[in-house]
Each structure stands twice: as C-alpha cells, then as structure tokens.
Amino acid sequence: MQSPEQCPVPCQRCGAGMSPAPDGGTARYADVIPLVCRYCGYAETLTRDDRVRVSRERVALLRMAQDAAEAPARHAEQIIGMRPWLGGVVVGGVLTLNALNGVGTAMAAIERAGPAMDAAARLQALQGVCVTPLLGIGLAAGMFGGWTLAMRRYRALVTPGRWARSPLSPGAPARCRCCGAGLPEQWGAMVECGFCRTHNLLDRAVIDQREALLLSETALHQARAAGVIARANEFSASFGQWSLVGAAAGAVVGGVLGYALALALARA
Ligand SMILES: [Zn+2]
Ligand SMILES: [Zn+2]
C-alpha cells in the first residue's frame, strides 16, 4: 500500500493530479502547499493538514464519476463473460448433423424412386431438408460473425479506456487512469490502484504510444475543465446489435443457399 502522501491531489476543475507550483510562490509559510494543474492551469493552496483529507475526498468523487461512466461497459463485460455464442455453436452443430442426415435420407428415397419421380417432386422432397437446416446454420453463423465484429469494436473502442495512463517521463511508472497515482509494474495485467481501487490495464501500448496518449490525456482534462464529461463507453450500449443484424443476414443467406442446394440436387 502506498502512503497517502504519494497520492496526487486531483484538480478541482479537470480531475488531473496537481503538481507543486514550480516557483513555490506562496510557499512563504511552511504549513501551506501551493499547487498548480499543468492541464487546465488551475492553481490553489492547501495547508499541509488538509492535503490528505482533500486528496481522499476528491479521489472518492473521481471514482464515483468513473464508476458511473463505465457502468455500460461493465454490463457488456458481463455479457461477454457468459459466452452467449456457445449456444449458437451448439445449435449450428446439431443443425448441420441433422441436415446431412435429412439430405442423405431424401437422396436415398429419390434414388429408390428412380425415373418415376420428376424434377418438381424431387425438389419438393429436398426443399424442406435443405432450406430449414441451412436457415438455422446461417442464423447461427451470422450471429457468430456479428459477435466477432462487436468484440473487435469493443477491443478497439472500450479496452483502451481501461489502460493505465502513460508515464509522465520515460522510465517513470504508469499512472492510475482515475486518480493519477503511480502504479506498480505488472505489464499485461489488470492492476488495482492503491488509492482509489480503480483497475488499470497495464498494456504495453501505454509505453509505446506514450507521446500520443499524453497529448490525448491533456485534451481530455482540458475538455473536462471546460465542463465536458466524456461518455467513454457509448459503444457498449449498442453491444449485441451486430449479433442480431448478423443473425438476420445469415438466416437470409442460409435460406437462399438451402433453396439453391435443393434445386441443384433435384436437377442432378
Ligand atoms: Zn486541472
Ligand atoms: Zn487511482
């Protein structure tokens, strides 16, 4: 556990961790700490006695705002954890076996009937066994495709929101994305902040894209200082929609393919 003195005092306006004022302008008295926000320029002076209390209060507020902003993403994470696509794979598998069996039986009947069965009758016999299973298989496959697409978008849009903040200087520790406190080095892991308990993903990109990430962090804090609260997880609300679109498209494709298959087999 880090000592409370190591926790940054979040800026009242933008939430970024404040730094000691460079010139220590008001540090004439030993019991006051002049602080300045390097992101939005807000300056304030705290007494040494107040520092830890003020820091704790503001970190708690930040944490509450963070929890509210991330609620939709957590909902999506629960859905991901349930692996709903497993059901689709099982249904698709059963339908495939069923289809092979049904087509085999129908073909055997056509063979037995021989020339007594005309093309229209053959199509009649094959239609049901081809169209229904392929419709189901297309539905399951389309759902799976839509899910994969949604997961890719989730990883691209939501996962970076979990990343820890980049080190302020090369070699310095990565910082908590909520309160800005330094984090222990555990690359690739979700690391809990010792101050605010926020979970941070220590992705290597935090180092590799350090400069770009620091710039976007500045933009974020400045937007916050101007009263804009970023809705970081808008995508999460539409999570699952792609599975439905995929399922509908897959069912149509499956139905058409099934009919085409029945036609081809009937003509053969
Ligand atoms: Zn600020
Ligand atoms: Zn934190």
Side-chain angles (χ1 to χ4, degrees), residues 11 14 37 40:
C11 167
C14 74
C37 174
C40 72

mmCIF file of all heavy atoms in Angstrom, residues 11 14 37 40, ligand 1:
data_model
loop_
_atom_site.group_PDB
_atom_site.id
_atom_site.type_symbol
_atom_site.label_atom_id
_atom_site.label_comp_id
_atom_site.label_asym_id
_atom_site.label_seq_id
_atom_site.Cartn_x
_atom_site.Cartn_y
_atom_site.Cartn_z
ATOM 1 N N CYS A 11 -7.129 17.839 -9.420
ATOM 2 C CA CYS A 11 -7.558 19.212 -9.688
ATOM 3 C C CYS A 11 -9.078 19.309 -9.566
ATOM 4 O O CYS A 11 -9.803 18.444 -10.025
ATOM 5 C CB CYS A 11 -7.101 19.587 -11.091
ATOM 6 S SG CYS A 11 -7.833 21.081 -11.732
ATOM 7 N N CYS A 14 -10.494 19.817 -13.435
ATOM 8 C CA CYS A 14 -10.397 18.820 -14.503
ATOM 9 C C CYS A 14 -10.087 17.407 -14.004
ATOM 10 O O CYS A 14 -10.135 16.461 -14.773
ATOM 11 C CB CYS A 14 -9.361 19.231 -15.543
ATOM 12 S SG CYS A 14 -7.667 19.042 -14.992
ATOM 13 N N CYS A 37 -2.330 23.027 -11.621
ATOM 14 C CA CYS A 37 -2.703 21.959 -12.557
ATOM 15 C C CYS A 37 -2.024 22.242 -13.881
ATOM 16 O O CYS A 37 -2.223 23.293 -14.471
ATOM 17 C CB CYS A 37 -4.219 21.906 -12.725
ATOM 18 S SG CYS A 37 -4.712 20.743 -13.997
ATOM 19 N N CYS A 40 -5.046 22.352 -16.887
ATOM 20 C CA CYS A 40 -6.012 23.428 -17.114
ATOM 21 C C CYS A 40 -5.555 24.741 -16.482
ATOM 22 O O CYS A 40 -6.225 25.761 -16.615
ATOM 23 C CB CYS A 40 -7.389 23.030 -16.595
ATOM 24 S SG CYS A 40 -7.502 22.994 -14.808
HETATM 25 ZN ZN ZN B 1 -6.951 20.992 -13.910
#
